[in-house]
Structures are given as structure tokens and as C-alpha cells.
Amino acid sequence: MDRKWLPLTITLGFAGVAVATASVWPDSVEKPPLPQTLCHGALSRGTAELIDDGRGGEVSAGESENKGRTTDYAVFKACHVLRAGADDEGPRGVYKLVIRDTRSAPGRKKDSVPLGPGFTGWVLPDRAEATLPAGCAVRMGSTAPYITASLDVPSRDGERLYRRGEEPPVDPDTATSDNATVMREVVTRLAERYGCAD
């Protein structure tokens, strides 16, 4: 190649690299938004925020999944919903949601209230349980007859708070209502996600 064309060739080469780079990382594209769902897609962020321990903080989640050795117990999804702590402490656990397959028929806890029309489950101020529609177990890869979602909210456990001399962050009716809202969304979203709504 003639030496007089070399600078132009190098310049065009750099320009080609610049165009390729721009097409991969365009300046005009916004960063992806923060995740709008938590707990394996079972909760919207807004609903997840309903349950608070009275200390505030940004909501996040620690999620885990474990498949059993047999298809009878192929589903175990656990989610710890956290709230951001103060500057000198890490996030603290507020409640836990577990989705799992089971062979036990859904029951009802003493003093609990029903989850509501169209849902199978019960609710207390500090706990709740719901059963997903019948077709969900197969869709989620399990041969067990039921998939249940259970909620545990230690910060609203009346007996635990009494032993510690602490007041509950909300009254029992509000706590029960919040838990029911969370569980109804869990059932609805998972049934939609796995295509097993009644």
C-alpha cells in the first residue's frame, strides 16, 4: 500500500471501531430499571412493601431454590424479604415466603381467617398459607398433589413481641389484611406465570 494512504486507512479503521462500539453501547439507552418483582416473581415490589417491622428501609429479597431428588418434591423456593438497615448495619429480615410441593391437604389454623373468595388458604397476623390451583404442581414439575405458599412474619408475632416487651408495629387487623393481600398476589402471580390459573 502506498504510504500516503496509510494515515487515511488507520483513521477509517478507528472510525469503524468507534461505530461498532457505539452500536453496542449507545449513549441514548437508559440503564435497565430496578427489578419490579421479588420472590421468584411472586410479589410486586409494592405488595412486598406492605409488611414492615416499623423500622422502614428499602425492600430487597434473598431468594433461593432447591429441587428435591424426586419429582414428588421438585419445588422449593424460599425468599427472605429484607429491609435496608441503618448505615452501620446490613439489611434485616422482615418476613419469609416459601413455595413448596406437599402431599398434605390444605388445613386451617386455629383463630385464622379465610384467605378470601376464590382462594384456598388461611391468614393470621404473623402467618399465612395458601394453596395454588390444582394444575400448578404439574406445571411446576412436581408429581405431588399440592403446591403451597407459606408466609412467616416474626415482627408481627404477638407472643414473641410480648416476651420481649415490644409493641406490634401495626394492629392485628391491619397485619391480617396485609398478609392476605400478599398471599392473594402470590397465588395469582404464580398461577399466571405457570399457566395454571383456575
Side-chain angles (χ1 to χ4, degrees):
M1 176 183 289
D2 193 330
R3 285 181 178 268
K4 69 179 182 182
W5 296 110
L6 188 58
L8 179 60
T9 305
I10 292 172
T11 303
L12 290 174
F14 281 129
V17 170
V19 169
T21 303
S23 66
V24 176
W25 297 294
D27 293 334
S28 60
V29 175
E30 296 179 13
K31 291 181 180 177
L34 292 173
Q36 297 303 304
T37 61
L38 297 171
C39 298
H40 305 282
L43 287 174
S44 65
R45 187 168 291 274
T47 301
E49 290 175 345
L50 282 177
I51 300 176
D52 192 2
D53 58 2
R55 295 165 58 193
E58 179 68 23
V59 169
S60 63
E63 301 170 354
S64 61
E65 185 171 0
N66 186 22
K67 296 197 174 203
R69 292 182 180 165
T70 70
T71 55
D72 283 359
Y73 299 101
V75 178
F76 185 91
K77 298 172 184 284
C79 175
H80 293 267
V81 176
L82 315 168
R83 291 266 183 177
D87 292 339
D88 58 344
E89 62 182 31
R92 64 189 184 281
V94 178
Y95 62 95
K96 179 171 73 170
L97 176 68
V98 174
I99 299 131
R100 66 178 155 227
D101 37 17
T102 178
R103 294 206 154 275
S104 303
R108 185 161 170 206
K109 290 284 182 188
K110 183 182 176 184
D111 300 325
S112 66
V113 297
L115 192 53
F119 296 92
T120 303
W122 51 266
V123 188
L124 289 167
D126 63 329
R127 287 178 293 157
E129 186 173 281
T131 303
L132 273 61
C136 291
V138 171
R139 293 287 191 141
M140 295 172 82
S142 174
T143 56
Y146 306 105
I147 299 287
T148 62
S150 59
L151 179 71
D152 183 27
V153 191
S155 64
R156 295 183 176 181
D157 181 343
E159 291 180 17
R160 179 174 171 264
L161 293 169
Y162 177 78
R163 286 193 305 270
R164 295 171 133 197
E166 298 174 5
E167 291 294 318
V170 295
D171 64 87
D173 289 343
T174 301
T176 300
S177 174
D178 290 348
N179 292 352
T181 299
V182 165
M183 294 307 281
R184 285 193 292 264
E185 182 171 86
V186 167
V187 171
T188 301
R189 289 176 72 96
L190 288 177
E192 288 174 356
R193 178 178 174 186
Y194 288 97
C196 52
D198 283 339

